[in-house]
Amino acid sequence: MMILAKGLSRRDLLQGLGVGVVTLSVPALALATPAMVADEMKKLFPGKTAVDGKIKLDLPTIAENGLVVPLNFEVESPMTAADYVKSVHFFAEGNPNPLLASFRYTPMIPKAAGQIRIRLAQSQNIVAFAEMSDGKLFTAKKEVKVTIGGCGG
Amino acid sequence: MAVTPTPRVRLPATVKAGETIEVKTLISHEMESGQRKDASGNLVPRKIIKAFKASFNGKEIMAIDLHPAISANPYLSFFVKVQETGTFTFEWFDDDGSVYKAENKVTVG
């Protein structure tokens, strides 16, 4: 009985907190828009356009906790001195700040892949850009539905 | 709620030459985004780890820029290839100028 009572109150507390986070912080914050992500991309790669492909972006379709959302990725590339992935950039279309993280590689890295954990304020698209050593740009997009926003901490 | 950032790195101590290995790193850090408000409604100042760098035998092999949207206690995983015995150095750069460092020796055999 004690355990049950404890479990219930903890759940109630967490739900209460979650509602608080969503109602308090989301309207107060200016959130990014897809246009801001496009602007950031133009700043990084002026005058270039990205084509779909090469990037495998793996995120949960539904993230229950926006505070910790695992992001897995892999960019298809031989990773040789002549042909490698120079950088991979991640953006969030609906966070207060669209920037998430940028990976910068050298040919000494055998595989342009990895995992990070990100905070998402609301349901939104995650966009990745990969810059190849020959200057070509590739992009990928994935939608994540967030149950409890992660911006209030 | 200040935590002392302690880096933790997991990678094999012995590898075959040319083998691709995954490096998993975790560092305890609150990653305060600078957007959160405290109980009295004031913004909590931003304090995050803004960059990460991996080097092998003193030569930089990769770097990661981090932004406030990275979760607390940042977990980073990536892949490296080892051709010779040497030492990996991993560095985390804090907003306040601190650098947290971890070193891992890897033997080819």
Side-chain angles (χ1 to χ4, degrees), chain A residues 37-48:
Chain A
V37 172
D39 281 353
E40 290 290 341
M41 189 252 164
K42 272 189 208 127
K43 256 192 266 169
L44 277 171
F45 310 108
K48 283 192 182 172

Side-chain angles (χ1 to χ4, degrees), chain A residues 27 30 36 59 128 137:
Chain A
M36 277 169 80
L59 283 138
L137 271 187

Side-chain angles (χ1 to χ4, degrees), chain A residues 72-74 79 103 105-106 108-115, chain B residues 11 19-24 54 61-62 76-82 88:
Chain A
N72 281 288
F73 69 97
E74 184 167 351
M79 292 305 274
F103 283 67
Y105 292 109
T106 64
M108 285 157 85
I109 296 294
K111 189 156 111 176
Q115 196 200 100
Chain B
L11 80 170
E19 192 185 350
T20 294
I21 52 171
E22 186 178 14
V23 181
K24 294 174 177 172
I61 53 171
M62 71 170 285
L76 304 167
S77 88
F78 49 90
F79 294 86
V80 294
K81 192 164 65 180
V82 184
F88 281 102

Side-chain angles (χ1 to χ4, degrees), chain B residues 11 16 24 26 29 35 60 63 66 74 76 80 82 94 100 104-105:
Chain B
L11 80 170
K16 291 194 198 84
K24 294 174 177 172
L26 186 73
H29 194 282
Q35 287 141 6
E60 185 179 327
L66 303 171
L76 304 167
V80 294
V82 184
D94 197 300
Y100 315 113
N104 283 62
K105 213 171 141 47

Side-chain angles (χ1 to χ4, degrees), chain A residues 9-89:
Chain A
S9 66
R10 187 170 169 270
R11 184 189 297 163
D12 289 346
L13 179 70
L14 283 174
Q15 275 173 350
L17 274 174
V19 170
V21 166
V22 170
T23 50
L24 283 176
S25 56
V26 170
L29 286 165
L31 296 171
T33 58
M36 277 169 80
V37 172
D39 281 353
E40 290 290 341
M41 189 252 164
K42 272 189 208 127
K43 256 192 266 169
L44 277 171
F45 310 108
K48 283 192 182 172
T49 45
V51 287
D52 280 342
K54 297 257 189 193
I55 310 171
K56 214 173 87 194
L57 193 56
D58 186 15
L59 283 138
T61 313
I62 297 172
E64 282 178 15
N65 181 1
L67 274 173
V68 185
V69 184
L71 183 161
N72 281 288
F73 69 97
E74 184 167 351
V75 185
E76 204 183 294
S77 164
M79 292 305 274
T80 58
D83 182 4
Y84 66 99
V85 181
K86 261 173 99 173
S87 58
V88 186
H89 306 267

Side-chain angles (χ1 to χ4, degrees), chain B residues 46-94:
Chain B
R46 169 184 143 146
K47 188 181 186 293
I48 68 162
I49 287 173
K50 58 185 174 189
F52 170 84
K53 197 170 94 177
S55 316
F56 184 67
N57 288 343
K59 200 174 163 203
E60 185 179 327
I61 53 171
M62 71 170 285
I64 309 174
D65 302 339
L66 303 171
H67 295 282
I70 298 297
S71 303
N73 305 326
Y75 170 84
L76 304 167
S77 88
F78 49 90
F79 294 86
V80 294
K81 192 164 65 180
V82 184
Q83 301 286 15
E84 50 177 1
T85 299
T87 308
F88 281 102
T89 310
F90 305 104
E91 288 162 292
W92 289 259
F93 299 88
D94 197 300

